[in-house]
Amino acid sequence: GISTLENRNPWRLLPSKPEEAQPLSHIGTFLDEWQRSLLDIPIDTLTKEEDIGKGNNDLHFLEEGRRVIAVTRFHVLDGDDYNTSSSSNNNDNDEWEMELFRTCWSEMGKLMSEDVIDTGSLVVLPNTNNDLTLGDVQRFVQTKLVQPAEWMG
């Protein structure tokens, strides 16, 4: 059960949202942009009855809206906590990646233990290393989260 999750490293139970002002600010900024991106999706105008149900933009808007509503847990991994100018090697990046791994799998364990459908966690990554790209994050998600989850069924 979830109680054993608390006692093992590297897994840990995380609060549903941060309490400090800076991480909450990062989440607020992200959610504002997420909402703005929803508002930027054009809504298909239905002019004929036979066109009802064919609105690809409408479907995209609904899918994205469901994703927003499904998020019930929020986390911030601020790159400034791991990127130090005094370090010239990859240790800070390795530490950040391990913290991201630990956060994601802890959240997956928490959500699975609650067994609630249509819910999820959001991990915001502000101030990441300049060398980190969206492709790097996508590869991390694919290799460290999606593939292992598929292997486990």
Side-chain angles (χ1 to χ4, degrees):
I2 197 70
S3 61
T4 59
L5 184 67
E6 289 179 76
N7 300 323
R8 283 193 250 157
N9 263 336
W11 319 124
R12 61 200 168 154
L13 288 175
L14 300 168
S16 64
K17 67 178 178 59
E19 296 178 2
E20 298 83 30
Q22 188 64 33
L24 286 172
S25 172
H26 288 306
I27 290 171
T29 300
F30 179 86
L31 291 176
D32 287 346
E33 289 302 315
W34 201 358
Q35 181 183 19
R36 189 169 298 122
S37 72
L38 271 174
L39 295 174
D40 289 344
I41 299 171
I43 303 298
D44 293 333
T45 304
L46 301 176
T47 56
K48 300 177 186 162
E49 192 161 320
E50 63 265 13
D51 289 337
I52 294 176
K54 296 181 183 173
N56 289 333
N57 286 335
D58 294 344
L59 183 58
H60 179 62
F61 177 82
L62 291 173
E63 288 170 349
E64 291 300 315
R66 284 186 64 201
R67 285 185 182 95
V68 172
I69 293 169
V71 176
T72 58
R73 299 178 57 81
F74 304 87
H75 301 285
V76 175
L77 292 181
D78 195 331
D80 284 346
D81 294 339
Y82 303 96
N83 302 328
T84 59
S85 57
S86 62
S87 176
S88 60
N89 58 29
N90 260 357
N91 289 341
D92 291 331
N93 193 42
D94 292 344
E95 183 182 345
W96 177 85
E97 188 172 311
M98 179 52 125
E99 188 62 24
L100 179 58
F101 181 86
R102 181 180 302 133
T103 299
C104 292
W105 278 99
S106 294
E107 280 302 290
M108 289 170 68
K110 172 70 173 163
L111 292 171
M112 289 180 69
S113 73
E114 290 178 347
D115 196 26
V116 176
I117 62 169
D118 297 329
T119 189
S121 296
L122 173 70
V123 180
V124 178
L125 308 172
N127 305 316
T128 55
N129 183 324
N130 289 337
D131 297 334
L132 187 70
T133 66
L134 180 58
D136 294 331
V137 175
Q138 289 171 328
R139 271 188 297 286
F140 175 89
V141 169
Q142 185 62 36
T143 60
K144 309 284 188 191
L145 305 175
V146 174
Q147 286 176 348
E150 288 173 347
W151 295 332
M152 292 188 297

